[in-house]
């Protein structure tokens, strides 16, 4: 493609609204333009990169044996009411009232639609397993669309759904998808971590997120410095090598007056102690039954861990009335000593020495509190949200807090949808069972943004060779100089004939201007043709990700570039 | 692909709601399933065919030099209000109110969005010409979604938009698209006619529709039996070799009492004459000015022709008050004789001899009317809608009425959108002009339906080799027979290795059942492996579109099939 024949509206200035590098660079390099909040037009260069991602996803999904389908964006609202998600999704679900008054939903995901298809057409164990996938446009009315194509209201998703007879078979389907995802992201040239995410209803490590680490990422996760353990904050376990904080107060229980101070911040400020020397007491309702949960003052309860530890289906913070009834004091003064309800403590609580807790009395706290001496939890467990510096649950390493961009998610659904929608199969004996499902998503647009977020410099994008809109840029310094121009044309033609995707910057513009654009759009390999090097029979080549260029004899240029590109692609596959 | 590993839910029975063959067969062959009125899921087989169509469209658009982009489905309503189409589209436009109360439109087409992009980024003649295209999902709340994927509320469209400095350049862009469309439909294996459609505002043959002739088509058109002239009814010209109808009444002007009879049907019944012996007089307002338009009783006025003939921008039937003021009689009794307004006659009117017209008097008509003698039109022209049997405007042939399915449309827009949205360019002298536009659409889903509508038999689909989901079906008669099964597997593997798309019917089912499914899904080439033929060292091959099969030595089967498929593809390209 010739630059003059395509449409690459590069910008010198950063767009004012862009907060993150991928947004800034995708606009500046002429890949995208916003049409309306959270919806972008992909311009020719951006579309080519998007197609590269789509092709890789499709090839690997096909290789995994998944079957491609295409489901509509408009769904009957009834189907979403049947699973209860019409209400659950709330304002995020976009709705259309049609001319006959029927309510339609713009699909934010397709569990309902695919399960409806399966319940109508699959009824025997002989038809299983099957994995369906599609690459299709999703609609979500995000409260805050932002960060360019990272969080939009309209986006392209690869969503897949597996259907199996039992959990062991689901695990096989899940593993197939997990491996396909690794191949997809490897081929894209992304550096990612696979993060354990919250388990599904069928237990085990039933969910993984594929994250690209980036400071600008919206998701928090912890990663072990030493082993490969990584998990999102909801899920992350904590090793049991807790570290004690030094005691501040004498280990003598004493009641102190803390008038009007009820939060950790207020009390620690008033008593001149650190939050980690305090014990927070939270009253929860576990399936309706009040329990007290203790965590250190600087920690937060992980409600998923609490729910699993208690073996209940629902936990929620108690209302003020219940708290007052349980503790005898208003909200803000709860403490473990003397409570009549079940007492659960996070492991770190046991190591607080001479700590501070509420006194179960308005405007009073206790200092010098000693767990084990002053109160005895009925259960000690890992109950808190993991944080930076926590011990790794798998090795002797330490967890570090990171931020990431979620590019993929694999999830064991179990019977969540098949039970509600009545998708059943008959086994060999003719007995009916709900089909066991999994679901698997990849945000296609995010693949591009995540790559750019982690692969750019101050001058522009640094594409991986597999996602680059074109693989090679041929840049004649001065197209008015016939020999330069003809050599550029020849190399362009030779590369094209070898199946290399090449962009020829045929613009009659200053070299500096063209170099700036070249760095901005960031194609992997650049071939510069200039009068001086030509006189030596050479052209200059440079990889975008390297700082040094090298020269190549002009007659070898196309051959060398083509083989370098092929090798680079090979390394990613 | 093995049949047992994919998902092809064929049906024995026709779906009750299906009225046309393509709908019936696409459902029965397991290509599609309806999710909600006017929205279909493409199942694996259907999706593969759809992808074939997409690939052909993309290759030919790229070859034409058009640039692929991808625009959002959600548009800000303001943009549609700016061109006035928010109101024009009415209920067909699907609307979403977002969580902040902003009104969004689901794009039924993208003139507004692309013109908005262009006005923001193109301002110099140096940036023109450019043609953008996309393959993207459109939404239209059709009053009557029907005929399977032929008329839906959600569909895949290839829409392209050209931008040029002037009309001669627009004509070049138009010609590029016209030629690309011919290549696309040729490669798909479609038999189509290119039909002149209503001109745009810049005159000339500014619009063509690509139609596949089918009795079930929703569009009417005329086609010359002799030359290649074809046009839709709105547009079709009529040759000036009018044929006179024999006179019924004596050529003596006489007023007759026709109490309460005002329509052509009533009067011709009452007077026992044929409609073609009557002269209809219609009072129109042409840019607000009343004119009388005469057509034969069995003809209809073509308002586009009338508008063009008069050189006005708008024509509409006059209101009853105007009619009464102009004719002196209520609606239904107008006649040419004695009228004070301008009189226009369709050519055929002049050949009515001893005709019947209104008397401009309530409950009275005139018989024995003689054009030229009793009234003199101020203009005689082609003013009617063409019909079956009308003379061809290009040759001595006769027009025949046909029905067709519109699969593509190319249109010279001129400045319709660029003027309203202010998309201008500066010429060499720095003077601003509105950009000249064209738009070009292809209904991707309709390509499949149109092919099936014209290429099927009572047993099922007959795919063209270019759109077929798989090119070859390998059908072992009895998979329990080891030699049969192993031969089938070997041929399947050999074909796959040669890059042929092959489906292996590995199901352990009766031969008759498998043959029925084979005819239904209609893959182009079938290879049957049976015990008896194998004993002779042969397998049986059959083209779906031919009735006779032929035998091939088993060791040559894969090679022969592959080369036949390649030749067939070659013939279409």
């Amino acid at each position: 493609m010739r630059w003059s024949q395509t449409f690459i509206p590069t910008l010198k200035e950063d767009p004012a609204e862009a907060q993150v590098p991928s947004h800034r660079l995708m606009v500046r390099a002429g890949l995208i333009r916003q049409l309306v909040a959270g919806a972008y037009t992909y311009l020719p260069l951006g579309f080519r990169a998007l197609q590269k991602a789509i092709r890789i996803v499709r090839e690997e999904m096909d290789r995994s044996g998944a079957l491609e389908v295409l489901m509509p964006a408009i769904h009957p609202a009834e189907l979403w009411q049947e699973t209860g998600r019409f209400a659950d999704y709330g304002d995020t679900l976009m709705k259309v009232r049609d001319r006959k008054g029927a309510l339609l939903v713009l699909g934010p995901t397709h569990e309902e639609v695919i399960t409806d298809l399966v319940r109508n057409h699959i009824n025997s164990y002989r038809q299983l397993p099957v994995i369906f996938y599609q690459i299709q446009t999703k609609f979500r009315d995000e409260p805050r669309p932002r960060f360019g194509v990272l969080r939009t209201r309209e986006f392209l998703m690869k969503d897949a759904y597996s259907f199996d007879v039992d959990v062991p078979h689901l695990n096989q389907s899940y593993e197939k998808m997990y491996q396909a995802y690794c191949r997809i992201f490897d081929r894209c040239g992304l550096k990612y971590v696979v993060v354990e995410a919250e388990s599904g209803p069928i237990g085990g490590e039933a969910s993984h997120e594929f994250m690209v680490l980036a400071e600008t990422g919206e998701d928090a996760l912890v990663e072990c410095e030493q082993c490969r353990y990584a998990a999102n904050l909801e899920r992350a376990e904590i090793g049991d090598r807790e570290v004690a904080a030094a005691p501040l107060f004498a280990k003598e229980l004493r009641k102190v007056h803390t008038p009007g101070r009820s939060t950790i911040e207020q009390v620690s400020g008033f008593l001149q102690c650190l939050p980690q020397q305090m014990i927070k007491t939270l009253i929860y309702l576990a399936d309706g039954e009040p329990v007290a949960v203790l965590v250190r003052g600087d920690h937060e309860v992980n409600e998923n861990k609490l729910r699993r530890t208690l073996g209940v289906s629902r936990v929620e913070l108690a209302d003020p009335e219940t708290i007052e009834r349980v503790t005898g004091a208003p909200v803000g003064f709860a403490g473990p000593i003397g409570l009549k309800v079940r007492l659960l403590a996070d492991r770190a609580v046991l190591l607080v020495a001479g700590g501070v807790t509420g006194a179960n009395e308005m405007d009073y706290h206790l200092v010098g509190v000693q767990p084990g001496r002053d109160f005895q939890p009925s259960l000690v467990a890992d109950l808190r949200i993991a944080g930076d510096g926590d011990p790794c649950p798998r090795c002797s390493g330490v967890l570090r807090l990171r931020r990431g961009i979620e590019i993929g998610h694999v999830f064991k659904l179990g019977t969540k949808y098949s039970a509600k929608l009545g998708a059943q199969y008959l086994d060999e004996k003719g007995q009916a069972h709900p089909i066991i499902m999994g679901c698997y998503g990849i945000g296609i647009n995010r693949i591009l943004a995540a790559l750019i977020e982690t692969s750019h410099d101050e001058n522009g994008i640094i594409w991986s060779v597999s996602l680059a809109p074109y693989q090679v840029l041929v840049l004649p310094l001065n197209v008015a100089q016939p020999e330069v121009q003809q050599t550029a044309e020849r190399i362009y033609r030779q590369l094209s004939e070898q199946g290399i995707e090449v962009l020829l910057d045929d613009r009659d513009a200053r070299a500096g201007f063209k170099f700036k654009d070249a760095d901005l759009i960031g194609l992997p390999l650049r071939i510069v043709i200039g009068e001086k090097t030509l006189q030596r029979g050479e052209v200059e080549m440079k990889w975008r990700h390297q700082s040094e260029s090298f020269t190549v004899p002009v007659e070898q240029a196309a051959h060398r570039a083509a083989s370098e590109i092929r090798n680079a692609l090979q390394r990613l596959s």
Side-chain angles (χ1 to χ4, degrees), chain A:
Chain A
M1 177 60 80
R2 292 160 192 281
W3 197 300
S4 65
Q5 305 281 301
T6 182
F7 178 71
I8 311 176
T10 56
L11 301 177
K12 271 191 204 164
E13 305 294 333
D14 283 338
E17 74 282 11
Q19 299 169 275
V20 297
S22 64
H23 186 186
R24 210 152 56 224
L25 291 172
M26 288 180 84
V27 172
R28 281 193 54 203
L31 305 181
I32 57 167
R33 284 297 182 269
Q34 184 178 283
L35 172 62
V36 65
Y40 286 84
T41 293
Y42 278 77
L43 303 180
L45 216 52
F47 184 76
R48 285 184 67 94
L50 194 68
Q51 273 292 103
K52 296 285 188 90
I54 289 172
R55 199 171 311 144
I56 291 172
V57 169
R58 177 169 284 144
E59 284 175 10
E60 293 301 335
M61 291 306 291
D62 287 346
R63 198 204 295 202
S64 79
L67 302 173
E68 188 164 7
V69 297
L70 184 60
M71 294 179 262
I74 55 173
H75 305 175
E78 293 77 22
L79 203 49
W80 283 76
Q81 282 152 350
E82 223 178 315
T83 61
R85 291 212 295 180
F86 186 85
D88 294 350
Y89 257 81
D91 284 345
T92 300
L93 204 57
M94 288 190 172
K95 294 156 198 105
V96 177
R97 182 74 65 178
D98 77 9
R99 64 163 75 219
K100 285 174 184 153
L103 194 59
L104 302 170
V105 156
L106 296 184
T109 174
H110 280 69
E111 283 82 3
E112 277 80 0
V113 173
I114 194 76
T115 309
D116 177 58
L117 180 79
V118 165
R119 73 174 163 184
N120 292 330
H121 292 93
I122 291 186
N123 48 44
S124 160
Y125 72 97
R126 285 192 215 88
Q127 296 169 279
L128 300 173
V130 64
I131 304 176
F132 292 110
Y133 83 97
Q134 64 174 348
I135 297 170
Q136 190 263 0
T137 302
K138 301 284 185 267
F139 298 89
R140 292 182 191 172
D141 198 357
E142 292 282 347
R144 292 181 59 202
R146 57 185 170 157
F147 302 152
V149 301
L150 280 170
R151 187 159 294 277
T152 52
R153 300 198 287 179
E154 175 177 347
F155 56 98
L156 211 53
M157 187 167 163
K158 190 288 299 170
D159 44 329
Y161 307 91
S162 67
F163 298 86
D164 283 287
V165 292
D166 55 24
V167 172
H169 283 90
L170 164 63
N171 290 342
Q172 289 175 18
S173 297
Y174 188 86
E175 182 64 17
K176 267 190 205 170
M177 291 297 102
Y178 187 107
Q179 293 304 332
Y181 277 35
C182 291
R183 288 195 304 269
I184 287 167
F185 300 132
D186 285 340
R187 283 184 60 188
C188 289
L190 287 167
K191 285 180 192 66
Y192 58 93
V193 290
V194 189
V195 164
E196 288 182 16
E198 194 39 46
S199 335
I202 58 170
E205 285 167 12
S207 172
H208 288 90
E209 291 166 356
F210 289 74
M211 294 271 201
V212 170
L213 297 183
E215 282 171 28
T216 49
E218 287 192 283
D219 294 299
L221 59 114
V222 291
E223 190 189 26
C224 176
E225 289 182 321
Q226 206 165 296
C227 71
R228 302 196 49 164
Y229 180 75
N232 71 13
L233 291 196
E234 274 200 329
R235 170 70 187 171
E237 299 164 43
I238 299 166
D240 59 4
R241 294 160 290 106
E242 301 286 358
V243 180
L248 179 74
F249 294 96
K251 295 180 178 174
E252 178 183 304
L253 194 65
R254 191 158 54 86
K255 189 157 88 176
V256 294
H257 191 214
T258 53
R261 275 75 173 186
S262 62
T263 68
I264 292 292
E265 198 185 4
Q266 291 164 347
V267 176
S268 64
F270 185 71
L271 296 180
Q272 304 268 304
C273 66
L274 295 169
Q276 52 263 47
Q277 286 156 334
M278 300 182 62
I279 297 169
K280 252 196 297 203
T281 306
L282 294 135
I283 309 301
Y284 271 90
L285 292 172
D287 284 351
E289 192 67 36
V291 296
V293 181
L294 310 179
V295 290
R296 226 167 63 180
D298 59 332
H299 289 157
E300 299 295 334
V301 173
N302 182 323
E303 295 185 356
N304 290 301
K305 291 181 180 176
L306 178 61
R307 185 173 45 73
R308 275 198 303 272
T309 302
L310 288 169
V312 296
S313 62
R314 190 167 175 204
V315 296
E316 55 184 334
L317 277 171
D319 52 291
E321 292 68 39
T322 304
I323 293 172
E324 196 148 354
R325 183 165 50 78
V326 168
T327 68
V331 175
F333 301 96
I337 300 174
L339 280 190
K340 295 282 176 275
V341 295
R342 200 169 168 205
L343 217 54
L344 290 92
D346 177 62
R347 284 197 208 105
V349 167
L350 295 203
L351 297 174
V352 175
V356 176
T357 75
N360 294 324
E361 185 180 341
M362 182 158 177
D363 288 345
Y364 282 95
H365 278 78
L366 300 174
V367 301
V369 175
Q370 206 61 24
R373 181 192 72 186
D374 301 328
F375 67 90
Q376 196 63 48
S378 60
L379 190 73
V380 176
D382 172 9
L383 292 178
R384 70 177 193 266
I385 295 175
D388 196 74
D390 272 332
C392 175
R394 299 282 184 272
C395 78
S396 61
V398 166
L399 297 179
R400 288 296 161 211
L401 197 59
R402 306 260 188 251
R403 301 203 68 79
I405 298 165
E406 185 188 327
I407 48 170
H409 196 170
V410 292
F411 204 95
K412 296 183 190 173
L413 289 170
T415 60
K416 182 173 175 187
Y417 296 96
S418 53
K420 278 183 182 154
L421 294 173
Q424 297 190 319
Y425 73 93
L426 298 177
D427 66 15
E428 295 88 331
K429 294 168 192 152
Q431 285 194 315
H433 309 273
I435 299 177
I436 309 291
M437 291 174 58
C439 69
Y440 315 91
I442 290 180
I444 308 273
N445 318 71
R446 278 193 179 181
I447 288 179
L448 304 190
L451 181 92
I452 295 171
E453 211 59 53
T454 54
S455 180
H456 68 271
D457 61 19
E458 66 280 16
N459 299 317
I461 299 168
I462 302 173
W463 284 110
S464 65
V465 70
S466 53
L467 293 183
Y470 296 92
Q471 295 153 346
V472 176
L473 177 71
V474 174
L475 194 160
L477 287 180
N478 180 359
V479 292
Q481 221 287 330
E483 206 193 339
V484 168
Q485 201 259 343
Q486 284 156 20
T487 307
E489 291 280 348
R490 193 172 64 245
I491 293 173
Y492 169 62
R493 201 177 52 242
Q494 289 169 339
L495 281 168
S496 302
E497 283 165 4
Q498 294 195 51
I500 300 298
E501 296 167 349
V502 49
L503 181 66
L504 171 65
D505 190 348
D506 58 349
R507 293 175 298 172
D508 185 8
R510 284 183 306 99
F513 177 80
K514 287 164 83 162
F515 278 127
K516 268 204 158 40
D517 269 358
D519 278 349
L520 180 57
I521 70 167
L523 303 184
L525 187 61
R526 189 181 77 189
I527 306 179
V528 173
I529 295 115
E531 218 172 338
K532 276 188 205 156
T533 41
L534 265 194
Q535 281 167 359
R536 296 198 308 270
E538 288 177 334
V539 298
E540 188 196 275
M541 279 192 197
K542 182 179 171 300
W543 284 99
R544 178 66 180 88
H545 69 275
Q546 292 176 349
S547 51
E548 297 303 310
S549 64
F550 53 98
T551 55
V552 175
V554 62
E555 68 277 8
Q556 294 173 22
H559 182 76
R560 172 74 178 273
S563 78
E564 293 249 356
I565 291 295
R566 281 196 206 99
N567 289 342
L569 275 172
Q570 192 63 39
R571 279 193 295 275
L572 286 177
S573 69

